[in-house]
Amino acid sequence: MSSSSQRVLAVVRRQILNGERVPGEKITEVGIAAEMDVSRTPTRTALATLAAEGLIEKRSGRGFTVRSISSSDVEKSIAVRAALEALAARTMAENGMPKSAEDALLKSIAFTERVLDADEPDPDYMDGYQEANILFHETIMYQCGNDLIAHAYERIAMLPLAALGSLAFDRTNPRRELKRLTVGHSQHIIIFDAIKKRDAARAEAMMREHSHATLNYADLFVKRIYETSSADRLEAAANE
Amino acid sequence: MSSSSQRVLAVVRRQILNGERVPGEKITEVGIAAEMDVSRTPTRTALATLAAEGLIEKRSGRGFTVRSISSSDVEKSIAVRAALEALAARTMAENGMPKSAEDALLKSIAFTERVLDADEPDPDYMDGYQEANILFHETIMYQCGNDLIAHAYERIAMLPLAALGSLAFDRTNPRRELKRLTVGHSQHIIIFDAIKKRDAARAEAMMREHSHATLNYADLFVKRIYETSSADRLEAAANE
DNA sequence: GATCTTAACTTTGGATACAAAATCTGGTTC
DNA sequence: GAACCAGATTTTGTATCCAAAGTTAAGATC
């Protein structure tokens, strides 16, 4: 879309998700506009989008405040994502798998297999694994034949861990993580197989289970967001 | 929110859903602003919202066009709604039913019962039935304990028949319709019972089935929207 | 007559100005 | 000390202006 408003949107969203803007922090059109050195017009559209995404909350007459993202919020977003992804898997199984989707899914599976077949988990491959994982989930969500599923999903997509194929690695225990990825990979294969065979019920059930697996890592993820001393920053913001 | 932009949003949305604005019709900021006698600023925000809702499509540099709503779109929206409502029912069953929700649900059930117990279906009661139906579905969606479900749902809520508790009556066959409403009512009672007893699986399955029941009426609903000679209006619009 | 170029027009994004509504702050009164 | 009132300030919504980008159409050239 536009350059300025897109830039404001991207920057402020990143700041919120990185914890640079603390939950409860006040956000106003004029404030952001001055900070980013743009006028209120693009700022307004950006803030409206952020409010629609649920990252900030409108408080009539008192600007916006950064919404706090609790571990429970993350769990909720995963529940919604799981429901929509399960529906997408079922829908694709019912409609049949398009050729382009089959190519993408096979590519994702093949790549992941290579990563996991290595004797030692190579940290360099992790990014690739993540990419392949995202490809798998996005392919099903966006090519299932019902674009409204993705449309609804996009409303919550920017919340932490709600993003398709997002993974939180526990780097303190790589061997266990490798095991976990292997299980996830096997689920991908099952899902692919079920869709290919038009087994809608199996595809749906497996995808639901697979999406829910992320749940155990909600705490880990929230910790990462707020790991830096957000309490200090909140205090500083309050004293301004 | 604001007066002007809200008015523009409401009016144009109604026009599109009523078929007064034909699919494919061109919509521009200046055009709507002049028509509604407001400036481009509130018009811009209203059109942005409509685009987010999916009722109009942005075509860069050439304004927006009214999106056509096919019978298949309606079916898709119902599938998404069913998935989200099923999740909401399950969530409420898991979390337990809040007192305010119980009151609302019982009120809806009691009212519907009165309508259906009449010997002859009274057309005047239909509005009341509709209201009670909406109350039932909205209560579960908005009080289930996961606000993100409603958040995702709102992205598709304005599509025809996707609205919670929307019903399309076939007035040519009132006796059959009465039978249908009776079945729907029995499902409400089962859903209430399942949630009350914390039977999440049953609540989810029943709600899924219940939401899908609307599917058979998708054709009927699309016909109603485009029943007037929309082809003529499209031609007229093209010739302008 | 076809194609390329250019000029006018449309459309949108952004900046600024103004007014209204709401909130905050300070002082005054009881 | 608490409550209320009024002015100052913040915040937001709308209008208008300007510029950039893209689209359309007409005319020139081959």
Side-chain angles (χ1 to χ4, degrees), chain B residues 22-23 76 235:
Chain B
V22 175
K76 289 172 183 170
E235 206 175 326

Side-chain angles (χ1 to χ4, degrees), chain B residues 218-228:
Chain B
D219 286 336
L220 189 67
F221 205 88
V222 169
K223 228 170 278 163
R224 197 182 69 70
I225 294 177
Y226 298 131
E227 65 191 351
T228 50

Side-chain angles (χ1 to χ4, degrees), chain A residues 26 28-29 40 44 58 63:
Chain A
K26 188 175 168 186
T28 62
E29 275 183 29
R40 278 177 51 215
R44 171 178 305 182
K58 180 161 196 164

Side-chain angles (χ1 to χ4, degrees), chain A residues 5 9 42 62 78 96 103 116 136 143 150 158 173 184 188 191 196 214:
Chain A
S5 67
L9 174 62
R62 272 177 299 172
I78 290 174
D103 291 345
L116 294 179
F136 188 90
Q143 295 191 44
M158 68 299 308
N173 197 341
H188 279 197
I191 292 167
K196 191 83 179 115
T214 324

Side-chain angles (χ1 to χ4, degrees), chain A residues 48-214:
Chain A
T49 305
L50 286 173
E53 288 176 350
L55 287 179
I56 60 178
E57 268 176 350
K58 180 161 196 164
R59 304 214 292 164
S60 191
R62 272 177 299 172
F64 300 82
T65 53
V66 177
R67 212 185 128 185
S68 72
I69 299 164
S70 67
S71 170
S72 137
D73 285 324
V74 174
E75 285 170 17
K76 288 173 184 171
S77 73
I78 290 174
V80 176
R81 186 193 65 164
L84 292 174
E85 279 201 280
L87 175 61
R90 177 168 58 132
T91 304
M92 188 182 272
E94 285 168 354
N95 294 341
M97 188 186 288
K99 182 72 174 66
S100 60
E102 181 169 354
D103 291 345
L105 294 177
L106 284 176
K107 187 178 158 193
S108 165
I109 288 173
F111 188 94
T112 308
E113 210 135 274
R114 259 206 313 274
V115 174
L116 294 179
D117 275 355
D119 291 333
E120 280 292 320
D122 185 338
D124 290 348
Y125 280 177
M126 286 306 174
D127 287 347
Y129 182 96
Q130 177 99 347
E131 244 177 70
N133 194 43
I134 291 172
L135 175 63
F136 188 90
H137 287 267
E138 283 191 345
T139 299
I140 292 178
M141 174 75 84
Y142 285 97
Q143 295 191 44
C144 67
N146 183 344
D147 51 337
L148 288 179
I149 299 173
H151 197 252
Y153 161 73
E154 278 162 8
R155 192 75 191 271
I156 62 149
M158 68 299 308
L159 290 176
L161 265 191
L164 287 173
S166 59
L167 289 168
F169 285 105
D170 185 353
R171 299 205 179 261
T172 63
N173 197 341
R175 283 216 95 55
R176 194 190 60 184
E177 289 303 282
L178 184 66
K179 213 173 284 176
R180 182 165 70 92
L181 298 185
T182 305
V183 172
H185 178 60
S186 77
Q187 292 173 331
H188 279 197
I189 292 174
I190 292 171
I191 292 167
F192 175 85
D193 184 62
I195 296 177
K196 191 83 179 115
K197 290 179 177 159
R198 316 288 290 259
D199 188 340
R202 186 160 158 252
E204 179 181 7
M206 196 70 243
M207 179 61 98
R208 186 186 308 272
E209 179 56 35
H210 180 63
S211 297
H212 266 285
T214 324

